[in-house]
Each structure stands twice: as structure tokens, then as C-alpha cells.
Amino acid sequence: MLKEWVIKMVEPGRPLADEYLDYFETYISLVPESDILNQLDSQTSDMSAMRAAVPADQEQVLHAPYTWTIKQVVGHCIDTERVFAYRAARFAAGDKTSLPGFDQDTFVANTDYNACELGSLVDELVETRKSNLSLFRRQNNESWMRGGSADGKKMTVRAAAYVMVGHIRYHWAIVRKRLSGATQ
């Protein structure tokens, strides 16, 4: 007889300022909501909508002062999503091993995102987020509060989730400005 496992989803609440480095406030401040699981989930629709919002002739344009194409921005979001989910998984498991940082510019420079279809990149980002959402949905009150160090910077699991939502909002706002002709 199979037992059905039920996972009770726990909303962790907003992270406190001592749960992350000041640098990450840029992203966390973009997430005023306290229902981070819902925000992680609902962003997949926003991600999917991006595919239709970007005209094909703008996908590989460098809009000064920015140094990445829109395809590269989506690729960067995929990379960051994976890195922060890995950190959150390690921290949630109570792994106290200090993790290395990652160089976003090296990732983008050495991955040919411009050779990919924008739709494929967006699909990959959505699927990556869905996988990460499963990770976050199974956390309990204790694991949300666990933390660790990456690149010498402290962070809790719940702060990582907020950074992930804020990071997408941050970059989508820039993409919208780029497409509207604004540069800042």
C-alpha cells in the first residue's frame, strides 16, 4: 500500500536585514509581498509573457549603456536562478560548507546565448523556476531560517528566495525600459 506524502507549504515571512548582505537589498526591496511561494510561482507567467514582448529584431541588440543583449539577460537570469537555488538547497540541508561565488560576466561571456532561440531560453528559465519552486515548497519553518555563506557573504534560505524574485523583477524592468527606448 502506498502512503501519500503531504507537504504542508510554509510561507517563511520576509527576511530580516541581518539575513543577507546589504548588496542584495536591491533585489529584496523589489518584493514587498510576504507570500514568497506565490511570487515565485506567479513569476513564471511573467517570464512566459516576455517571449511575446520582445520583438525579434531587438533580441540581440545592445542598448547603450547596457553590455548584454536581451537573450544574454535571460541567460544570466537562468544562471542566477540555478546558482541561488543550489545555495538555498545546501543551506536548507544544514550544510555549513562555505560556497564559492560565481562570476556572472564569465558565465555570460562563455555561453553563446545569442545562438539560442529566445523562446527556448524563456522556456528554460520557466522550467528552472518550476524546479526551484518545488525545492522551496518543501521547506519547513526551521529550514527556511537556515543559512550559510557563499562568496564570503551570509544568506538564509528565505533571503535567497526573495533575491530570486527580486532579481527577475530587476532585470525585467530594465528590459522593458530598453524596449521602450529608455536607457536608465
Side-chain angles (χ1 to χ4, degrees):
M1 176 178 216
L2 287 174
K3 289 186 176 183
E4 185 175 322
W5 293 97
V6 178
I7 298 174
K8 181 181 178 193
M9 292 187 293
V10 177
E11 281 289 348
R14 292 189 58 74
L16 303 175
D18 65 349
E19 294 179 44
Y20 55 89
L21 190 69
D22 290 344
Y23 171 82
F24 294 115
E25 181 62 25
T26 299
Y27 305 120
I28 292 173
S29 68
L30 296 175
V31 189
E33 301 89 352
S34 61
D35 60 341
I36 197 61
L37 291 171
N38 185 52
Q39 299 311 308
L40 285 160
D41 188 27
S42 67
Q43 257 187 345
T44 59
S45 297
D46 297 338
M47 293 173 185
S48 294
M50 177 187 227
R51 175 189 347 235
V54 179
D57 66 344
Q58 293 296 305
E59 293 175 356
Q60 296 186 75
V61 174
L62 287 175
H63 303 90
Y66 306 108
T67 58
W68 293 341
T69 68
I70 291 174
K71 285 183 176 182
Q72 289 172 318
V73 170
V74 176
H76 162 69
C77 289
I78 295 167
D79 297 338
T80 302
E81 189 82 8
R82 286 190 172 122
V83 168
F84 275 81
Y86 176 72
R87 291 174 179 177
R90 295 277 302 261
F91 300 159
D95 187 340
K96 296 295 184 191
T97 306
S98 183
L99 303 175
F102 88 106
D103 183 338
Q104 65 184 14
D105 294 316
T106 298
F107 271 57
V108 171
N110 291 297
T111 308
D112 191 3
Y113 290 117
N114 286 325
C116 302
E117 295 292 327
L118 179 62
S120 295
L121 291 170
V122 171
D123 289 345
E124 183 178 351
L125 180 57
V126 168
E127 292 304 317
T128 303
R129 171 57 66 84
K130 286 179 180 179
S131 174
N132 295 340
L133 183 57
S134 294
L135 165 73
F136 287 116
R137 282 184 171 145
R138 65 180 159 81
Q139 301 310 310
N140 60 34
N141 287 326
E142 184 180 334
S143 60
W144 277 112
M145 298 306 296
R146 289 186 188 127
S149 174
D151 197 22
K153 300 164 182 76
K154 63 182 176 177
M155 178 173 282
T156 62
V157 173
R158 72 179 179 175
Y162 272 79
V163 167
M164 290 164 74
V165 171
H167 183 257
I168 294 292
R169 288 181 179 175
Y170 176 84
H171 283 290
W172 268 213
I174 292 172
V175 167
R176 282 191 297 276
K177 286 179 186 177
R178 287 172 66 167
L179 293 175
S180 72
T183 59
Q184 297 279 338

